[in-house]
């Protein structure tokens, strides 16, 4: 008799349970766009691994901007292969900031990227959309990440 009660309880528990939604596929990209900041779940590898990844990177870059710079309007972040053999990767973060004269301008910060750990090393940055653009002008450098113990 007890086994019938146990079976009935299990059946009722199974009926009340909602069907599990299939697990979402893990992200396969390092790309973060401004619109992605408002998503409930990150769609990129780095913020999936570490929810503070982008915030920490922006703080590093903001602290290194030239004196008198104001504002930081995130545009996008991307990590991409830089060598033809695909072995080296570079991270580029694009943003808008105002120069001391108040003129808003597109800026970038770029540095070596380790895809296994989502670590961005020392960076250089400046005015322009990309460090490799013809009109890009380097105006600052960013130290590498602080070691944690």
């Amino acid at each position: 008799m007890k086994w019938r009660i146990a079976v009935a309880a299990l059946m009722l528990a199974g009926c009340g349970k909602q069907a599990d939604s299939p697990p979402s596929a893990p992200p396969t990209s390092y790309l973060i766009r401004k619109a992605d900041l408002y998503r409930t779940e990150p769609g990129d590898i780095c913020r999936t691994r570490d929810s503070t990844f982008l915030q920490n990177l922006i703080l590093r870059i903001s602290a290194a901007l030239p004196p008198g710079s104001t504002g930081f309007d995130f545009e996008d972040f991307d990590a991409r292969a830089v060598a033809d053999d695909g072995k080296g990767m570079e991270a580029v973060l694009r943003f808008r900031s105002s120069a001391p004269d108040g003129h808003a301008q597109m800026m970038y910060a770029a540095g070596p990227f380790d895809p296994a750990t989502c670590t961005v090393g020392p960076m250089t940055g400046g005015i322009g959309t990309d460090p490799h653009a013809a009109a890009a002008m380097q105006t600052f450098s960013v130290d590498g990440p602080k070691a944690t113990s």
Side-chain angles (χ1 to χ4, degrees):
M1 179 70 147
K2 288 184 181 182
W3 68 272
R4 286 184 185 168
I5 294 172
V7 169
L10 287 173
M11 288 173 58
L12 285 174
C15 291
K17 185 178 179 183
Q18 293 181 358
D20 290 336
S21 59
S24 58
T28 58
S29 168
Y30 299 100
L31 177 63
I32 306 170
R33 292 190 175 100
K34 185 183 278 192
D36 296 332
L37 301 179
Y38 305 102
R39 293 178 54 173
T40 56
E41 294 289 325
D44 60 278
I45 294 168
C46 294
R47 290 183 309 143
T48 299
R49 291 180 185 165
D50 175 7
S51 62
T52 62
F53 165 77
L54 187 59
Q55 177 183 359
N56 292 335
L57 186 59
I58 288 172
L59 289 173
R60 278 179 53 204
I61 295 167
S62 295
L65 290 176
S69 298
T70 56
F72 192 103
D73 184 17
F74 174 81
E75 199 63 36
D76 58 32
F77 169 89
D78 195 13
R80 55 193 173 214
V82 290
D84 289 335
D85 60 10
K87 291 184 179 177
M89 288 190 79
E90 175 183 57
V92 177
L93 188 143
R94 294 180 334 123
F95 60 98
R96 290 190 185 282
S97 184
S98 293
D101 65 2
H103 177 71
Q105 55 200 356
M106 181 60 74
M107 299 185 80
Y108 70 88
F113 179 74
D114 181 352
T117 61
C118 282
T119 303
V120 182
M123 304 174 86
T124 57
I127 301 167
T129 59
D130 189 279
H132 308 291
M137 181 172 62
Q138 182 180 332
T139 59
F140 66 95
S141 62
V142 180
D143 292 333
K146 304 280 189 255
T148 58
S149 32

